[in-house]
Amino acid sequence: MPSLRLALQQGPAGVPRTVEDGLAALDSAAREAAAGGARLLVTPELSLTGYALGDGLTGRAEPADGPSARAVAGIAAAHRIAVVYGYPELDPDSGALYNSAALIGPDGTVLAGYRKTHLYGGYEKRRFTPGDRLVAQAELDGVCVGLLICYDVEFPETVRAHALAGTELLVVPTALMRPYDVVAETLVPARAWESQLYVAYADRTGREGEFDFAGLSCLAAPDGSVPLRAGRDAALLLGDADTGLLHKSRAQNGYLADRRPGLYAA
């Protein structure tokens, strides 16, 4: 069974002075992750620009195939590592602004893109348009990788939808704020257990503008364990999503097989 080695970047808070600064930080993390044998680097929500930009998010927004996307593709290809990064996406047709994440393959190919479907609080709802496609996924080294963003993972329906669609590793760039540590410490591991998949949860840490980010990034496994857990400081964590353990856990825990969807009408 394939195993995917991944790196979680728990990024320090602070808005990069320019997008180029954000790209430089990503390049450094990709280099370190690749040196540790990782095949996938996961960064926090809006990792290229910073989260607390307010209305300045619009000035840093780009189309999904914009200059930053091409720069990230170059970084991924240079270090031969897949990258999940967050950015404010501008739809050139509608002018809408989305809180987005993209998965770039180790050869620089765009494998998947996702627009956050559940916006958190007035700060996000005033600035972003919610996405309308829940499941975005791609195969990486024989592992089915899916994307959600932050608040999305707090809804059991979103994670279950991924599990039923075949996602084995659910990647969640996040900007979890204090005092909601319970999300990282309790809820994310519960999502991995109840839907029988891995959840890779990469947070910011420290203060940025009005927000105080929680840290506590983690990799939660389907057997109830948490193989990786950060504290409050900036960190790069390395660990493995083992599909052998996943299949064994699914065989022992019947949540997916024992569902009775006919009873679950709204």
Side-chain angles (χ1 to χ4, degrees), residues 1-234:
M1 295 290 182
S3 179
L4 179 63
R5 189 156 181 80
L6 66 145
L8 300 180
Q9 182 199 27
Q10 180 159 289
V15 174
R17 288 175 297 175
T18 65
V19 173
E20 288 72 22
D21 290 337
L23 289 167
L26 177 63
D27 181 68
S28 177
R31 181 182 299 108
E32 183 179 353
R39 291 285 292 162
L40 171 65
L41 169 65
V42 183
T43 70
E45 183 176 4
L46 296 173
S47 54
L48 281 192
T49 60
Y51 184 89
L53 280 169
D55 294 335
L57 282 164
T58 302
R60 294 196 181 186
E62 297 181 12
D65 59 354
S68 291
R70 295 192 292 272
V72 174
I75 290 169
H79 300 294
R80 302 299 299 169
I81 186 172
V83 174
V84 171
Y85 72 100
Y87 69 105
E89 179 192 347
L90 178 66
D91 186 317
D93 296 323
S94 67
L97 184 66
Y98 296 93
N99 184 338
S100 295
L103 169 59
I104 307 297
D107 61 354
T109 301
V110 179
L111 298 181
Y114 174 73
R115 294 168 170 175
K116 189 174 185 178
T117 52
H118 298 74
L119 301 179
Y120 177 76
Y123 178 81
E124 292 187 9
K125 291 176 181 177
R126 286 192 299 271
R127 293 172 174 86
F128 294 110
T129 297
D132 58 8
R133 184 168 67 96
L134 183 58
V135 176
Q137 59 187 188
E139 184 176 303
L140 179 64
D141 291 358
V143 177
C144 185
V145 178
L147 298 174
L148 289 178
I149 299 174
C150 197
Y151 192 42
D152 291 325
V153 81
E154 299 180 36
F155 295 82
E157 297 89 348
T158 63
V159 182
R160 182 56 54 83
H162 267 276
L164 294 175
T167 296
E168 296 170 308
L169 169 62
L170 183 59
V171 172
V172 188
T174 191
L176 178 71
M177 303 154 195
R178 303 177 82 172
Y180 304 112
D181 295 4
V182 64
V183 174
E185 293 176 335
T186 302
L187 191 149
V188 170
R191 291 287 174 268
W193 168 260
E194 72 192 4
S195 281
Q196 287 296 293
L197 40 62
Y198 280 93
V199 180
Y201 189 77
D203 196 14
R204 316 177 79 80
T205 186
R207 183 167 289 279
E208 184 179 304
E210 64 186 281
F211 306 110
D212 186 11
F213 296 108
L216 305 176
S217 301
C218 64
L219 176 66
D223 64 353
S225 65
V226 182
L228 298 177
R229 169 72 74 191
R232 302 292 188 187
D233 298 328

